[in-house]
Amino acid sequence: MALTQINYYLLFLFGTALLTSMAGMEITSALILLTSLITFIKKPKTLNVIGKEIYFFLGLLFISVISLFVNGLFEQIPPTLGWFRWIVIFYGILYSLLNTPKGAKALTLGTLTGGLLSCFNSFVQTITHRDWTRGNKVIDYYADLDKQITRATGFFNMPTTYAYILAMFLFVSLTLFFITTDKKKKIIFSSVFLIGLLTLALTYSRGAWIGFSAGLFCFIVLRKIKLLIPMVLAIAIAASSLYAFSSGFKERIDSLTDFNYYSNSQRIELWKANLEIFKDHPIIGVGLNENDQLVAEYHDKMGHVEKYRSHAHNIYLQYLSGTGILGFLSFIALAFYFLLKNLNLTRRLQGSNQWLAYGLLSIQITFLVSGFFDCNFGDSEVRYSYLTYLVLVLFLDKRTKEDTNQILL
């Protein structure tokens, strides 16, 4: 079997793993990296994939390591360098996409397959309250304080992890719906979108709901403004129905403005504690992720009640307290680099390519808004998805003369 054929199947499996398996992501991405290296050795004159984004990647890595070094956390430096292996994997996937005929199509089909599998699994979890993929154990994440309504986790350990991944994935099916002119495919993609939207509701993850809503608003306003009112009405009707008939959904919606709700009060204490850590260590922080350990000390110092020990539940505060203003600015610079590159694509491209550019922009908005409520970049499964969509931004930038309808479908 030719190497390009192997790459095609690996990209399909990687796309499927994005919605189903962390182990699958690790294994397939490692194999993609290996085949990319072999391809490069055999054809060293093939397209160079490394662009200006490398400076932002290395900048974030450098500041993260320096934050640990300055704070004397030398034992944390080797695992942190290992954590940044995603930089190498990023370029391996991009290289594979650019050198594999119909590679982007394989990745797209894989994500659609993984999305449908995960949605089916979520429906089973909602009905049975058990996760059959983990020994049929009872799922102990609930949407209500009475612990009667189970939150879907898909194939992952936590409902939030799955929800953030799913919120980004929904724009894949939505974008494909607008790209294709085939009526049968439109029915398929719209069905995937609606099934995924229902599944997102079943995760009962408010941060993912808010992030997806922000991304959807961006998508509609920038690309299809005439759909704004119908879409808002449709979502309002669906949300009102769930609010009326689902006590779990009602409780989660009501909790959005209830600062005494347990997860809200825990988050507020964590945010205040991490802000205080940042004030005490403003330049380089206390060391990447070391704030997770120090937060208990600050809870006591500030007289907090919940004293929930965790990461900051906000990726921006996580970097502010862990790596100071330097690390925070490094992360923001990386995010804005890809946002600006994506915005540039929406202006340059036409037709189906422009649809894809807006879809990828909406995915970035979804991720960055969700980051206000959780450390989603620190969550390996979520980070893999986000970085894969950033890979597609660079892929599209290098394939602007090709028709996306042919590339993806």
Side-chain angles (χ1 to χ4, degrees):
M1 185 181 292
L3 197 58
T4 53
Q5 288 179 296
I6 295 174
N7 283 339
Y8 179 91
Y9 292 117
L10 284 175
L11 286 168
F12 173 83
L13 291 173
F14 177 74
T16 304
L18 287 176
L19 277 297
T20 59
S21 170
M22 183 64 228
M25 295 181 221
E26 292 280 12
I27 294 170
T28 53
S29 63
L31 290 173
I32 288 170
L33 188 59
L34 176 62
T35 55
S36 295
L37 181 61
I38 294 172
T39 301
F40 180 76
I41 292 173
K42 294 175 66 175
K43 299 178 180 179
K45 292 184 179 180
T46 50
L47 187 64
N48 181 17
V49 298
I50 299 178
K52 293 180 181 178
E53 70 285 336
I54 188 64
Y55 299 117
F56 297 97
F57 290 156
L58 295 180
L60 185 61
L61 185 155
F62 177 75
I63 296 299
S64 298
V65 170
I66 288 297
S67 74
L68 296 170
F69 182 84
V70 169
N71 286 284
L73 301 168
F74 307 116
E75 72 283 357
Q76 296 298 322
I77 293 177
T80 297
L81 290 172
W83 183 82
F84 274 95
R85 68 186 180 279
W86 56 259
I87 297 176
V88 180
I89 292 171
F90 179 94
Y91 286 113
I93 294 171
L94 178 58
Y95 190 88
S96 182
L97 281 174
L98 290 169
N99 290 281
T100 303
K102 298 183 179 181
K105 180 179 180 180
L107 183 64
T108 302
L109 292 175
T111 57
L112 290 170
T113 301
L116 285 173
L117 288 173
S118 69
C119 289
F120 173 77
N121 187 36
S122 297
F123 294 145
V124 173
Q125 290 175 339
T126 300
I127 295 169
T128 65
H129 310 290
R130 292 178 176 273
D131 186 351
W132 63 272
T133 64
R134 290 179 172 81
N136 203 33
K137 74 171 186 176
V138 174
I139 298 173
D140 55 358
Y141 293 101
Y142 302 97
D144 59 329
L145 293 175
D146 293 332
K147 296 185 178 182
Q148 298 298 311
I149 300 175
T150 299
R151 299 174 63 186
T153 63
F155 289 98
F156 301 103
N157 286 315
M158 298 180 64
T160 49
T161 294
Y162 178 46
Y164 295 132
I165 292 171
L166 189 60
M168 290 186 283
F169 162 75
L170 285 172
F171 288 100
V172 174
S173 54
L174 185 62
T175 301
L176 290 173
F177 170 80
F178 285 108
I179 286 176
T180 186
T181 55
D182 186 305
K183 290 183 179 180
K184 291 182 179 179
K185 288 182 179 179
K186 278 188 176 294
I187 293 173
I188 293 173
F189 296 140
S190 61
S191 298
V192 173
F193 176 76
L194 292 173
I195 292 170
L197 194 59
L198 175 59
T199 307
L200 182 63
L202 295 176
T203 66
Y204 296 96
S205 297
R206 298 164 300 167
W209 292 348
I210 295 171
F212 171 74
S213 298
L216 185 63
F217 181 81
C218 166
F219 186 86
I220 294 173
V221 170
L222 295 178
R223 191 69 180 103
K224 207 75 172 177
I225 188 64
K226 66 180 182 180
L227 290 179
L228 181 60
I229 294 178
M231 185 69 76
V232 169
L233 287 174
I235 292 176
I237 292 171
S240 298
S241 300
L242 286 171
Y243 187 86
F245 297 105
S246 170
S247 58
F249 188 81
K250 182 179 185 301
E251 184 172 312
R252 299 297 282 181
I253 292 296
D254 289 344
S255 70
L256 287 171
T257 55
D258 182 2
F259 295 149
N260 293 318
Y261 191 73
Y262 75 99
S263 62
N264 292 349
S265 57
Q266 288 173 353
R267 273 181 169 81
I268 291 170
E269 285 188 354
L270 283 169
W271 294 345
K272 288 180 178 179
N274 277 276
L275 274 174
E276 200 64 29
I277 294 174
F278 166 64
K279 290 178 183 177
D280 291 344
H281 306 84
I283 306 302
I284 202 65
V286 295
L288 181 65
N289 298 327
E290 183 64 15
N291 51 305
D292 300 7
Q293 308 302 319
L294 287 179
V295 72
E297 175 186 325
Y298 277 80
H299 280 325
D300 291 336
K301 185 189 300 185
M302 300 173 72
H304 288 163
V305 177
E306 299 278 354
K307 297 184 179 181
Y308 186 63
R309 184 172 171 176
S310 172
H311 51 67
H313 276 276
N314 179 306
I315 192 60
Y316 308 104
L317 285 175
Q318 184 77 3
Y319 272 104
L320 275 174
S321 58
T323 59
I325 192 66
L326 294 179
F328 170 76
L329 291 177
S330 296
F331 178 76
I332 292 298
L334 170 62
F336 268 88
Y337 172 82
F338 279 97
L339 278 175
L340 292 175
K341 179 171 278 293
N342 206 152
L343 277 170
N344 180 259
L345 285 173
T346 63
R347 298 189 185 101
R348 286 168 47 202
L349 305 180
Q350 299 295 324
S352 59
N353 284 2
Q354 192 177 54
W355 275 112
L356 178 57
Y358 277 112
L360 292 170
L361 180 64
S362 298
I363 286 172
Q364 290 190 65
I365 296 295
T366 296
F367 175 84
L368 295 172
V369 172
S370 297
F372 282 103
F373 308 100
D374 217 329
C375 292
N376 50 3
F377 193 72
D379 191 328
S380 297
E381 294 93 334
V382 182
R383 184 175 63 254
Y384 261 96
S385 282
Y386 173 60
L387 290 171
T388 299
Y389 296 123
L390 295 188
V391 165
L392 287 174
V393 172
L394 297 186
F395 174 80
L396 183 59
D397 185 48
K398 296 177 183 295
R399 288 285 190 265
T400 54
K401 293 183 179 180
E402 297 182 42
D403 183 4
T404 304
N405 191 43
Q406 299 299 319
I407 295 174
L408 299 182
L409 304 174

